[in-house]
Amino acid sequence: MIYLTLFYEFFKAGLFAVGGGLATLPFLYEMAEKYPWFDKATLIDMIAVSESTPGPIGVNMATYAGFSGGALDGSILSGIFGGIIATIGLVFPSVVIILIVAGFLNKFKENRLVDSAFYGLRPAVCGLISAATFEIIKVTLINPEFTGNLINFIRIKELILFAVIFTALKKFKLHPIVYILVAGVIGGFIL
């Protein structure tokens, strides 16, 4: 039964998350609240690992969630088959839609309505990515155990690391992998 649920949930994410891997994050947050496959803290770790490894972030996260499906509630891991099912669920809608669109796109390439539809999708994609960014900031920089003391509201170490990496990124023109590795090492030892 977990395999059907994995396929269905990731199929939904793949069908409606227009704009790439980060657009799947609102769907993943919903899954974190609905199922015991992963929680929001694990989701942040999944994002960090998925962004740091080769491949699309959504596919990496689907594979991870499918592999470890049910792990938080103490049940048996879904394993490799669960990872494959979740990944297929995520990419299947895109493959089908692309095949359909490719067949018709040449006919409608110059159509004003098609151009307008693609133009109208841009704000929706921007909104999904903005919502995902807000959730990442909320989970990584804001303390969920806020007790009323303003100093406890913000995670100071994480904010300092963010500011340092962001400033270095703007000031020094190094390859992004350097910043990913540095942030990972610092985060592993200090945070």
Side-chain angles (χ1 to χ4, degrees):
M1 188 63 181
I2 190 171
Y3 299 120
L4 275 172
T5 307
L6 279 168
F7 182 84
Y8 172 72
E9 289 296 334
F10 282 98
F11 180 86
K12 264 191 336 188
L15 184 61
F16 296 113
V18 179
L22 289 177
T24 63
L25 289 179
F27 297 96
L28 292 171
Y29 278 111
E30 182 182 328
M31 283 183 225
E33 293 173 0
K34 193 173 178 183
Y35 300 104
W37 303 332
F38 52 88
D39 57 11
K40 288 186 178 181
T42 306
L43 181 58
I44 297 305
D45 293 339
M46 288 168 46
I47 293 167
V49 171
S50 295
E51 286 286 351
S52 303
T53 56
I57 182 174
V59 171
N60 290 346
M61 289 195 295
T63 305
Y64 177 86
F67 181 81
S68 64
L72 292 179
D73 68 351
S75 65
I76 298 173
L77 298 177
S78 298
I80 294 172
F81 190 64
I84 292 169
I85 292 296
T87 304
I88 290 172
L90 184 77
V91 301
F92 186 73
S94 299
V95 170
V96 170
I97 290 170
I98 290 300
L99 290 174
I100 292 169
V101 168
F104 290 103
L105 194 57
N106 283 335
K107 293 179 186 176
F108 298 107
K109 191 172 14 177
E110 303 297 323
N111 189 316
R112 219 179 53 182
L113 291 174
V114 172
D115 283 343
S116 297
F118 279 116
Y119 187 75
L121 283 174
R122 291 178 189 158
V125 170
C126 184
L128 285 170
I129 292 173
S130 297
T133 302
F134 176 73
E135 287 295 326
I136 291 171
I137 289 170
K138 189 169 76 173
V139 172
T140 56
L141 298 180
I142 296 174
N143 189 354
E145 297 151 11
F146 175 60
T147 58
N149 185 353
L150 191 58
I151 294 187
N152 292 335
F153 179 67
I154 297 174
R155 294 180 175 177
I156 300 298
K157 291 179 188 176
E158 288 86 346
L159 184 63
I160 291 170
L161 178 60
F162 171 74
V164 168
I165 295 294
F166 184 78
T167 303
L169 185 63
K170 294 297 178 185
K171 187 170 183 167
F172 305 109
K173 301 299 179 198
L174 299 175
H175 196 279
I177 194 71
V178 172
Y179 297 108
I180 292 170
L181 291 173
V182 168
V185 169
I186 292 171
F189 286 111
I190 296 176
L191 306 175

